[in-house]
Amino acid sequence: MGDHFFSADPQSADVRRTVEARIWGRPYVFTTATGVFSRDRLDIGTSVLLRSVEPPTGPGTFLDLGAGYGPIACALAVEAPEATVWAVDVNNRALELTHVNAEAAGVADRVRAALPDDVPDDVRFDQIWSNPAIHIGKPELHKMLLRWLSRLAPGGVGWFVVGKNLGGDSLQRWMTDQGYPCERIASAKGFRVLRATNAGPSAS
């Protein structure tokens, strides 16, 4: 029923606005629109995640899973100028906005906004960052997470933020049970910040 931010092509009018945010000490102005996740501000869960985890600074290939209009992807690319960042979402309007915001941040050459099936099968990720769409339901959530966790490079790390009341603790146990040891590294404003790792050999 109705428009959801996880709709492939939102039917609502594309009404745009800008929101200001400070991420890892840097100011950003993002373009958002109707039909995308948290269009009026940087989502609280995303803010908790970004305040709880230090940004990567070296080279690598990173994934912003469920990118929305791209605040995490843009910030990762700014902080790690040698990295490539894939911004994956099912919402085409969100992907367009991610490109707009990457252009504004001067990182469009390294932020690749893509539908899930458009990411080449051989790409592996050193880090995954995600405020996952819990509301798609547990079966679809688990399917999505397994798809992308399986693409973590050896020694790779996934950072996730999940509402405590939306199953954050059970999701932590589930990821560990799937072979991705997971620990809670922070808890704030009703959210859990989780760190999952690829159980394979550590990367140098």
Side-chain angles (χ1 to χ4, degrees):
M1 292 178 62
D3 233 8
H4 297 284
F5 61 83
F6 44 83
S7 299
D9 292 293
Q11 298 304 302
S12 57
D14 188 349
V15 179
R16 302 198 174 190
R17 58 165 298 179
T18 58
V19 297
E20 297 182 4
R22 181 169 288 273
I23 302 175
W24 292 316
R26 301 180 193 269
Y28 291 87
V29 178
F30 296 112
T31 299
T32 73
T34 47
V36 300
F37 176 63
S38 194
R39 69 184 179 93
D40 295 321
R41 62 175 177 173
L42 187 65
D43 172 71
I44 295 174
T46 300
S47 296
V48 168
L49 173 64
L50 295 170
R51 286 198 299 267
S52 301
V53 184
E54 290 296 313
T57 56
T61 302
F62 307 139
L63 169 64
D64 177 4
L65 177 58
Y69 54 85
I72 294 177
C74 291
L76 288 172
V78 168
E79 297 296 326
E82 298 177 82
T84 298
V85 183
W86 286 85
V88 170
D89 206 294
V90 299
N91 183 322
N92 285 297
R93 185 176 297 173
L95 295 177
E96 180 189 351
L97 290 167
T98 295
H99 180 72
V100 169
N101 289 321
E103 287 274 9
V107 293
D109 59 323
R110 293 182 295 106
V111 172
R112 300 179 181 177
L115 295 168
D117 289 344
D118 291 340
V119 181
D121 291 339
D122 60 348
V123 174
R124 293 295 178 266
F125 301 103
D126 300 293
Q127 295 192 18
I128 295 173
W129 292 69
S130 186
N131 181 356
I134 298 296
H135 296 291
I136 62 177
K138 186 176 290 187
E140 286 300 314
L141 175 67
H142 287 176
K143 180 180 177 182
M144 177 184 74
L145 290 177
L146 282 177
R147 175 179 185 175
W148 298 103
L149 284 167
S150 70
R151 297 178 67 168
L152 271 176
V157 178
W159 305 101
F160 302 91
V161 63
V162 184
K164 176 183 177 182
N165 294 333
L166 294 175
D169 293 337
S170 62
L171 189 64
Q172 177 185 346
R173 292 190 295 269
W174 177 83
M175 284 195 281
T176 296
D177 290 344
Q178 301 306 308
Y180 301 95
C182 186
E183 61 180 332
R184 185 204 313 169
I185 63 147
S187 184
K189 299 184 184 297
F191 289 90
R192 304 299 204 203
V193 178
L194 307 177
R195 179 183 188 271
T197 56
N198 184 331
S202 297
S204 58

